[in-house]
mmCIF file of all heavy atoms in Angstrom:
data_model
loop_
_atom_site.group_PDB
_atom_site.id
_atom_site.type_symbol
_atom_site.label_atom_id
_atom_site.label_comp_id
_atom_site.label_asym_id
_atom_site.label_seq_id
_atom_site.Cartn_x
_atom_site.Cartn_y
_atom_site.Cartn_z
ATOM 1 N N MET A 1 -24.003 -35.775 -55.292
ATOM 2 C CA MET A 1 -24.892 -36.404 -56.282
ATOM 3 C C MET A 1 -26.224 -35.688 -56.295
ATOM 4 O O MET A 1 -26.781 -35.472 -57.384
ATOM 5 C CB MET A 1 -25.076 -37.872 -55.960
ATOM 6 C CG MET A 1 -25.923 -38.566 -56.991
ATOM 7 S SD MET A 1 -25.752 -40.332 -56.861
ATOM 8 C CE MET A 1 -27.386 -40.847 -57.003
ATOM 9 N N LEU A 5 -27.974 -34.081 -59.648
ATOM 10 C CA LEU A 5 -29.319 -34.408 -60.118
ATOM 11 C C LEU A 5 -30.199 -33.188 -60.177
ATOM 12 O O LEU A 5 -31.039 -33.043 -61.065
ATOM 13 C CB LEU A 5 -29.941 -35.506 -59.252
ATOM 14 C CG LEU A 5 -29.263 -36.853 -59.357
ATOM 15 C CD1 LEU A 5 -29.881 -37.848 -58.365
ATOM 16 C CD2 LEU A 5 -29.328 -37.423 -60.766
ATOM 17 N N ALA A 29 -34.062 -39.281 -62.089
ATOM 18 C CA ALA A 29 -32.986 -39.575 -61.139
ATOM 19 C C ALA A 29 -32.581 -41.022 -61.157
ATOM 20 O O ALA A 29 -31.376 -41.333 -61.200
ATOM 21 C CB ALA A 29 -33.435 -39.185 -59.717
ATOM 22 N N ARG A 30 -33.520 -41.915 -61.171
ATOM 23 C CA ARG A 30 -33.180 -43.341 -61.161
ATOM 24 C C ARG A 30 -32.522 -43.773 -62.495
ATOM 25 O O ARG A 30 -31.566 -44.530 -62.500
ATOM 26 C CB ARG A 30 -34.451 -44.167 -60.920
ATOM 27 C CG ARG A 30 -34.144 -45.621 -60.712
ATOM 28 C CD ARG A 30 -35.362 -46.360 -60.238
ATOM 29 N NE ARG A 30 -35.025 -47.761 -60.029
ATOM 30 C CZ ARG A 30 -35.804 -48.632 -59.519
ATOM 31 N NH1 ARG A 30 -36.992 -48.290 -59.110
ATOM 32 N NH2 ARG A 30 -35.441 -49.873 -59.377
ATOM 33 N N ASP A 31 -33.003 -43.213 -63.608
ATOM 34 C CA ASP A 31 -32.397 -43.509 -64.892
ATOM 35 C C ASP A 31 -30.967 -43.013 -64.970
ATOM 36 O O ASP A 31 -30.107 -43.664 -65.528
ATOM 37 C CB ASP A 31 -33.247 -42.924 -66.037
ATOM 38 C CG ASP A 31 -34.600 -43.612 -66.165
ATOM 39 O OD1 ASP A 31 -34.614 -44.836 -66.255
ATOM 40 O OD2 ASP A 31 -35.617 -42.913 -66.167
ATOM 41 N N VAL A 32 -30.721 -41.828 -64.431
ATOM 42 C CA VAL A 32 -29.361 -41.279 -64.428
ATOM 43 C C VAL A 32 -28.452 -42.178 -63.626
ATOM 44 O O VAL A 32 -27.344 -42.545 -64.103
ATOM 45 C CB VAL A 32 -29.333 -39.837 -63.844
ATOM 46 C CG1 VAL A 32 -27.912 -39.382 -63.588
ATOM 47 C CG2 VAL A 32 -30.036 -38.888 -64.788
ATOM 48 N N THR A 33 -28.873 -42.610 -62.449
ATOM 49 C CA THR A 33 -27.982 -43.478 -61.668
ATOM 50 C C THR A 33 -27.845 -44.860 -62.272
ATOM 51 O O THR A 33 -26.802 -45.478 -62.160
ATOM 52 C CB THR A 33 -28.479 -43.602 -60.197
ATOM 53 O OG1 THR A 33 -29.810 -44.095 -60.186
ATOM 54 C CG2 THR A 33 -28.406 -42.267 -59.494
ATOM 55 N N ARG A 34 -28.863 -45.331 -62.951
ATOM 56 C CA ARG A 34 -28.819 -46.661 -63.571
ATOM 57 C C ARG A 34 -27.978 -46.690 -64.829
ATOM 58 O O ARG A 34 -27.144 -47.584 -65.013
ATOM 59 C CB ARG A 34 -30.241 -47.126 -63.887
ATOM 60 C CG ARG A 34 -30.255 -48.543 -64.435
ATOM 61 C CD ARG A 34 -31.689 -49.001 -64.748
ATOM 62 N NE ARG A 34 -32.417 -49.122 -63.514
ATOM 63 C CZ ARG A 34 -33.737 -49.022 -63.404
ATOM 64 N NH1 ARG A 34 -34.476 -48.822 -64.452
ATOM 65 N NH2 ARG A 34 -34.318 -49.187 -62.269
ATOM 66 N N PHE A 35 -28.172 -45.729 -65.732
ATOM 67 C CA PHE A 35 -27.559 -45.802 -67.052
ATOM 68 C C PHE A 35 -26.383 -44.856 -67.212
ATOM 69 O O PHE A 35 -25.553 -45.087 -68.097
ATOM 70 C CB PHE A 35 -28.600 -45.490 -68.132
ATOM 71 C CG PHE A 35 -29.789 -46.392 -68.114
ATOM 72 C CD1 PHE A 35 -31.046 -45.890 -67.955
ATOM 73 C CD2 PHE A 35 -29.657 -47.776 -68.212
ATOM 74 C CE1 PHE A 35 -32.156 -46.704 -67.912
ATOM 75 C CE2 PHE A 35 -30.743 -48.608 -68.188
ATOM 76 C CZ PHE A 35 -32.017 -48.073 -68.032
ATOM 77 N N CYS A 36 -26.298 -43.821 -66.424
ATOM 78 C CA CYS A 36 -25.317 -42.761 -66.702
ATOM 79 C C CYS A 36 -24.333 -42.512 -65.536
ATOM 80 O O CYS A 36 -23.682 -41.480 -65.497
ATOM 81 C CB CYS A 36 -26.028 -41.484 -67.081
ATOM 82 S SG CYS A 36 -27.158 -41.680 -68.461
ATOM 83 N N ARG A 37 -24.247 -43.439 -64.614
ATOM 84 C CA ARG A 37 -23.372 -43.253 -63.453
ATOM 85 C C ARG A 37 -21.948 -42.918 -63.873
ATOM 86 O O ARG A 37 -21.272 -42.108 -63.263
ATOM 87 C CB ARG A 37 -23.418 -44.479 -62.571
ATOM 88 C CG ARG A 37 -22.619 -44.333 -61.314
ATOM 89 C CD ARG A 37 -22.714 -45.569 -60.426
ATOM 90 N NE ARG A 37 -24.057 -45.876 -59.990
ATOM 91 C CZ ARG A 37 -24.634 -45.369 -58.897
ATOM 92 N NH1 ARG A 37 -23.981 -44.533 -58.147
ATOM 93 N NH2 ARG A 37 -25.850 -45.710 -58.586
ATOM 94 N N MET A 40 -21.525 -39.163 -64.704
ATOM 95 C CA MET A 40 -22.126 -38.173 -63.809
ATOM 96 C C MET A 40 -21.156 -37.028 -63.451
ATOM 97 O O MET A 40 -21.592 -35.907 -63.262
ATOM 98 C CB MET A 40 -22.652 -38.841 -62.542
ATOM 99 C CG MET A 40 -23.911 -39.618 -62.791
ATOM 100 S SD MET A 40 -24.522 -40.531 -61.387
ATOM 101 C CE MET A 40 -24.859 -39.220 -60.232
#
Side-chain angles (χ1 to χ4, degrees):
M1 184 164 136
L5 293 175
R30 189 170 180 173
D31 292 308
V32 169
T33 57
R34 183 180 294 155
F35 303 121
C36 304
R37 184 178 299 272
M40 286 176 62

